Amino acid sequence: MGTLILAVTSLFLYSVGTALQALHFRGRVQSNLAITTLIGVLALTSHGLLIGQTLHQSGGFDLSFFKSSMLISWLIVLLLLGLNLKKPVQSLFLGVYPLAILTIILALVAHGPSRLVSDQSYGMLSHVALSVTAYSLFSLAAIQAVLLYVQNRQLKHNYNSLLVRNLPPLQTMESLLFEMVWAGVVLLILAIVTGALFIEDLFAQDLAHKTVFSILSLMVFIALLIGRYTRGWRGITASRWTLAGCLLLMLAFYGSKFVLELVFHRGG
């Protein structure tokens, strides 16, 4: 199937999914798990096929800025669809589907130098897989943290907005956030460990920025978890720490890629 057809199909399905979630959010239609899952799976399938056609090249995978962003958005949708089967995370679709649409468009229209990872470098591929999965999970945690922050602020001011009425109870929102952070920390530790094992010089010039900010991010998330169980951190405090850690992780991944590829035009 052609790249353009897959792209248009993905964009259409994500747009339909966004519209349905918006209508549900405003109380115009009832939520239906089967329809939500079906649309999401169809969009995910065409999105995945598109990734296969654009990322895979002769001898390896192109993980340049825009193409890796499209891969991460695919993983975010995949994780969210899985979580939605068991957890009340439907409100996150309103942020995730437009993000997927944006990354697909940018991957097709924007151009930059390629960063090729050999398909024979299994150690490096395992590091990349763990890294992008951790980034994807923490991206979901960031959206969850924003919603939790807004929910806390509005409840404290007795403001019964449309957002508050659509979100799960505060305790459930906090529990979901910390579950995401726990899983993300485990994946991030594994990503850093595999990087240390399979990358010859983890603090090489092109990787120093990424390594330092990834470790700083991990320290913030670990501090958050310790604070949760020793000092009872929750609500706005938990949201702020989560967003701080996610910002550092974003600087580690997107910051280094942006500077190297789009400023200095350096591929790999």
Side-chain angles (χ1 to χ4, degrees):
M1 191 177 295
T3 300
L4 182 59
I5 295 175
L6 288 172
V8 171
T9 302
S10 301
L11 294 173
F12 172 75
L13 289 168
Y14 281 134
S15 298
V16 170
T18 302
L20 284 176
Q21 292 303 320
L23 289 171
H24 165 64
F25 192 78
R26 295 181 65 84
R28 302 290 178 84
V29 298
Q30 291 293 320
S31 174
N32 188 302
L33 180 61
I35 293 176
T36 299
T37 304
L38 177 61
I39 293 173
V41 169
L42 291 174
L44 197 68
T45 301
S46 59
H47 188 170
L49 292 172
L50 178 63
I51 289 172
Q53 288 197 2
T54 55
L55 265 69
H56 189 263
Q57 297 184 5
S58 178
F61 299 91
D62 182 6
L63 296 177
S64 55
F65 184 87
F66 294 111
K67 291 182 179 178
S68 59
S69 297
M70 183 169 61
L71 172 61
I72 288 175
S73 71
W74 181 86
L75 279 168
I76 292 173
V77 174
L78 175 65
L79 291 169
L80 184 56
L81 283 172
L83 283 172
N84 192 53
L85 296 176
K86 297 292 184 181
K87 305 287 185 179
V89 293
Q90 191 164 341
S91 55
L92 298 185
F93 282 110
L94 275 175
V96 167
Y97 280 169
L99 176 66
I101 290 172
L102 178 63
T103 60
I104 289 173
I105 293 173
L106 289 175
L108 294 178
V109 303
H111 300 285
S114 298
R115 293 189 71 85
L116 202 65
V117 176
S118 172
D119 53 15
Q120 300 298 314
S121 180
Y122 301 113
M124 177 61 77
L125 288 174
S126 66
H127 167 68
V128 169
L130 287 166
S131 297
V132 296
T133 305
Y135 297 149
S136 302
L137 192 53
F138 277 123
S139 296
L140 280 177
I143 300 173
Q144 180 77 359
V146 170
L147 291 176
L148 180 60
Y149 181 87
V150 174
Q151 185 180 27
N152 264 279
R153 296 276 297 182
Q154 293 190 355
L155 287 174
K156 284 185 177 181
H157 291 85
N158 295 316
Y159 181 46
N160 188 26
S161 68
L162 187 63
L163 177 65
V164 170
R165 293 196 297 271
N166 275 278
L167 291 177
L170 202 59
Q171 187 175 358
T172 302
M173 291 286 288
E174 290 177 350
S175 176
L176 284 169
L177 176 63
F178 280 99
E179 287 177 18
M180 292 178 187
V181 171
W182 263 112
V185 164
V186 172
L187 288 170
L188 186 55
I189 290 173
L190 291 173
I192 293 172
V193 170
T194 53
L197 290 173
F198 298 114
I199 298 176
E200 292 184 4
D201 186 356
L202 197 62
F203 287 92
Q205 183 177 358
D206 288 355
L207 296 175
H209 177 278
K210 177 181 177 182
T211 305
V212 169
F213 277 99
S214 294
I215 293 173
L216 287 174
S217 172
L218 178 61
M219 291 171 64
V220 169
F221 289 124
I222 291 175
L224 168 60
L225 294 176
I226 292 173
R228 163 74 165 178
Y229 292 103
T230 60
R231 306 188 66 176
W233 287 352
R234 53 183 298 182
I236 291 177
T237 301
S239 297
R240 287 173 174 168
W241 277 80
T242 302
L243 291 172
C246 290
L247 177 60
L248 288 169
L249 199 59
M250 184 178 293
L251 288 172
F253 184 74
Y254 287 108
S256 58
K257 276 186 170 292
F258 181 86
V259 172
L260 288 172
E261 298 175 26
L262 303 181
V263 177
F264 294 113
H265 303 287
R266 291 172 60 181

